[in-house]
Amino acid sequence: MNDSDAKLRRRTVASRILLSYALMALAFVAVTISNVGSQRAAARDAEMMRAGYFPLVLALRNASAGQDTWNTQLNHITSARNPSDKALWFETTLQLGRSRGFSEIRAALARVFDSATLQVVNSQLVSQTRDVEEFLTGDAKLIKNIFEALKQKDSARAESLRDELVTRGAQGRRLLGDLESAVQDQITELLDKARAREGRAVTLLLIWTMLSLLVGALVALYARRVLRPLSHVTARARVVAAGDMSPRPVVYTPDEIGELASTFEAMVLAIREANEKLLTTERLATIGKMAAQVTHEIRNPLSSLALNLELLEEELQEADSETRSLLAAVQGEVERLTALSGRYLSLARSSHPATESEDLGQLAREAVNFLRADLSRSGIEVELAVQGDLPAALVDEGQIRQVLINLIRNAQEAMATPGQVTVGLKHTGDSIDITVDDEGAGIETEHLGRIFDPFFTTKSHGTGLGLVVTREIVEAHGGSITAESLESGGARFRVKLPAARSSDSESLN
Ligand code: ADP
């Protein structure tokens, strides 16, 4: 997985919290929609009751009541003292009362059953209404006949017509009653449905509410989990502010908080390293000043001492061997002191490298040749392996030569018995790797972190400054130096120096 993939896959804290709230909002919208839906269904039912069923029931009730009155009036039709009054009542009822009653029923039916789902029920009720109306229309002729018979005083015919009308009246009342109960059934069905729907709506509302509460709780927990690493970072910042710069493992999460934590830890490490470097630099600066003074005081008398010893040596050519060996010992010590003061001097003089494009292979060859004779006296062979097409490097020739000599000298000093020192140079990436391998005892693990510290030495006559100077030079060249113990025994020092860009190498050729 490369870096951009990781970035794509990583969701930001803000987007995750936004997503959680979107989820909450969705749950809330679902609850609202479900609620509004059931409210609207209830309102529709109530409206159907108010505008449709109630007027329909009333109209049917009126029609039935009218029919009851009709039936009652029929009982007295033949015994009426004033038949023309009766005739007027029946005619008015037939022409106005009934037709108005039925048109009210039809209008109410149209209002109730205008929805498509109820069309079947509607057409049944409409045809039932039409049947009743048609049936009752037959009364008009009989009423007309009965009053004619009464006018002609044909009471026998009037009686029989009345009986027929009474039978029809009862039948009409029955038909109206059937229509009423059909509508009642419809109302009961509607109420049952509304009740069932209300029950379902309440259950659904409860489920949605529980679900949205659950989502809310989960979102809250999730947000807490996402933000928890922030408290670690804050606690760590507090510890660092109190001065504790020791490295801690980073609790990494794949988001900005994780990035903040690792960046913060990297920053702490950088500050720590910068502090340590500052401390080393300060110490080196002090050593530099001291070295400059001491060297100034010592080097002149030392060189006259060396000169005088040479003169003394010439004078004592005839002297006995004990005197000569004493002289050689004194000369040796003077040489050692001269070398020691030289090291201090190089530390004091550590200046910016004056770089030029150099062939490092050639530089290494010269350094090795310079030391070869001395090393072979200790039974040590130097092997030089330089990669063929090594690019040039921008270096200060004198300083890099000193680096090579320091490392080869250390290798020599590390080897108590005869063996081989291998100096290798090869090109890796943008840099040139110089390795110096020896066959000594290697570096003890607990010393690995300290060998570049000023004055760290494991040698009885060591100064602990060689590697300090070496690292100063390498870092001033933009390079790095590392040390490791080899599995085969011995140590390896690796110097990485930046290779010159192609334009620089061209200038070399
Ligand atoms: P000095 O040589 O005066 O001790 P340096 O700074 O050159 O000072 O080296 C510091 C220490 O690093 C040495 O005392 C030694 O313990 C260790 N060291 C350096 N080079 C080697 C090596 N090639 N093999 C093992 N140890 C080494």
Side-chain angles (χ1 to χ4, degrees):
M1 189 172 67
N2 63 33
D3 211 33
S4 64
D5 278 356
K7 270 188 187 147
L8 271 181
R9 235 171 263 184
R10 194 178 57 204
R11 267 182 285 146
T12 62
V13 173
S15 69
R16 280 195 278 169
I17 289 183
L18 252 167
L19 203 77
S20 313
Y21 279 101
L23 215 69
M24 275 283 291
L26 259 177
F28 181 72
V29 167
V31 172
T32 312
I33 288 177
S34 139
N35 208 0
V36 167
S38 52
Q39 293 279 2
R40 285 183 65 176
R44 226 176 14 248
D45 287 350
E47 180 59 17
M48 209 186 225
M49 278 293 186
R50 189 192 66 78
Y53 279 106
F54 287 155
L56 179 62
V57 168
L58 275 179
L60 281 170
R61 206 74 297 272
N62 277 344
S64 298
Q67 189 61 28
D68 285 342
T69 316
W70 173 275
N71 290 350
T72 317
Q73 291 294 339
L74 279 178
N75 289 329
H76 310 290
I77 196 165
T78 50
S79 55
R81 262 184 247 133
N82 197 347
S84 59
D85 282 355
K86 278 273 177 221
L88 188 67
W89 184 88
F90 275 104
E91 263 168 44
T92 317
T93 305
L94 277 171
Q95 276 165 22
L96 293 175
R98 275 191 176 168
S99 62
R100 202 175 52 230
F102 277 102
S103 59
E104 272 173 18
I105 293 172
R106 270 197 299 276
L109 270 173
R111 275 199 298 275
V112 177
F113 299 110
D114 59 351
S115 79
T117 44
L118 295 172
Q119 283 305 318
V120 180
V121 180
N122 180 27
S123 61
Q124 268 171 17
L125 288 178
V126 168
S127 70
Q128 214 171 327
T129 309
R130 199 187 312 116
D131 291 349
V132 181
E133 200 177 0
E134 269 171 20
F135 175 79
L136 293 178
T137 324
D139 286 354
K141 205 171 164 219
L142 293 172
I143 288 289
K144 200 175 157 209
N145 291 345
I146 202 169
F147 280 109
E148 269 174 18
L150 282 175
K151 214 186 252 178
Q152 290 159 12
K153 309 279 188 214
D154 184 353
S155 55
R157 181 156 181 260
E159 295 273 330
S160 94
L161 281 168
R162 186 206 59 197
D163 289 349
E164 193 182 337
L165 273 166
V166 167
T167 317
R168 283 176 60 81
Q171 201 177 337
R173 179 66 183 82
R174 238 189 344 269
L175 286 173
L176 279 169
D178 289 348
L179 195 58
E180 259 188 287
S181 12
V183 170
Q184 272 308 333
D185 288 350
Q186 278 302 309
I187 291 177
T188 315
E189 198 179 316
L190 182 82
L191 287 177
D192 286 350
K193 274 188 187 159
R195 224 170 283 128
R197 193 162 47 232
E198 192 198 341
R200 272 203 308 279
V202 169
T203 319
L204 211 68
L205 193 67
L206 273 175
I207 292 173
W208 276 120
T209 311
M210 295 305 287
L211 265 177
S212 57
L213 279 177
L214 192 75
V215 168
L218 286 177
V219 163
L221 282 175
Y222 182 62
R224 223 184 86 153
R225 219 191 81 186
V226 166
L227 295 176
R228 194 183 306 139
L230 204 57
S231 59
H232 294 312
V233 180
T234 320
R236 175 75 177 122
R238 248 183 245 125
V239 170
V240 170
D244 179 0
M245 293 269 183
S246 52
R248 299 272 168 89
V250 182
V251 186
Y252 187 76
T253 48
D255 52 32
E256 300 100 315
I257 299 177
E259 209 167 292
L260 177 71
S262 54
T263 313
F264 185 78
E265 217 46 58
M267 191 187 78
V268 171
L269 195 74
I271 294 175
R272 192 183 139 99
E273 279 174 7
N275 277 353
E276 280 170 5
K277 215 167 182 173
L278 195 70
L279 213 68
T280 314
T281 313
E282 276 173 6
R283 281 161 94 187
L284 283 178
T286 317
I287 294 165
K289 271 190 205 151
M290 274 169 54
Q293 266 183 353
V294 172
T295 311
H296 182 72
E297 298 294 330
I298 284 179
R299 273 181 86 83
N300 288 345
L302 266 183
S303 57
S304 60
L305 248 178
L307 199 72
N308 286 331
L309 279 171
E310 267 174 40
L311 291 176
L312 199 59
E313 194 181 14
E314 280 170 20
E315 292 289 323
L316 293 177
Q317 276 197 352
E318 308 297 315
D320 57 64
S321 65
E322 195 182 343
T323 313
R324 287 168 64 82
S325 76
L326 270 174
L327 190 65
V330 173
Q331 267 178 325
E333 285 306 301
V334 168
E335 267 170 32
R336 202 176 68 77
L337 280 175
T338 310
L340 185 67
S341 63
R343 282 202 167 174
Y344 274 96
L345 200 62
S346 64
L347 194 66
R349 280 189 198 137
S350 64
S351 55
H352 283 294
T355 59
E356 265 181 62
S357 186
E358 301 285 354
D359 179 353
L360 285 184
Q362 184 55 31
L363 209 62
R365 222 165 277 125
E366 285 168 16
V368 165
N369 289 340
F370 174 69
L371 293 172
R372 199 183 293 281
D374 189 28
L375 264 75
S376 70
R377 269 198 290 280
S378 327
I380 296 167
E381 287 200 1
V382 197
E383 171 84 22
L384 180 66
V386 182
Q387 189 183 315
D389 52 350
L390 200 67
L394 279 181
V395 295
D396 182 317
E397 185 193 350
Q399 289 190 355
I400 296 302
R401 183 177 288 115
Q402 191 185 345
V403 164
L404 288 165
I405 291 174
N406 282 358
L407 294 178
I408 298 170
R409 278 260 183 257
N410 272 350
Q412 178 192 13
E413 284 164 12
M415 286 163 65
T417 52
Q420 183 176 302
V421 172
T422 312
V423 179
L425 282 92
K426 64 176 178 189
H427 183 206
T428 49
D430 290 341
S431 53
I432 296 170
D433 273 18
I434 307 173
T435 48
V436 179
D437 296 2
D438 61 51
E439 293 174 350
I443 307 161
E444 285 180 36
T445 322
E446 65 263 34
H447 291 165
L448 265 176
R450 301 174 57 201
I451 55 171
F452 293 101
D453 289 352
F455 309 118
F456 177 81
T457 180
T458 53
K459 299 168 195 169
S460 51
H461 292 295
T463 57
L465 290 175
L467 288 179
V468 179
V469 173
T470 305
R471 187 171 68 172
E472 280 277 295
I473 294 173
V474 171
E475 287 182 353
H477 279 77
S480 62
I481 179 167
T482 50
E484 61 187 290
S485 282
L486 295 170
E487 268 180 35
S488 54
R492 167 174 293 166
F493 282 78
R494 184 191 299 275
V495 172
K496 267 185 184 296
L497 288 172
R501 292 184 308 272
S502 56
S503 53
D504 302 323
S505 358
E506 273 160 26
S507 73
L508 177 72
N509 301 331

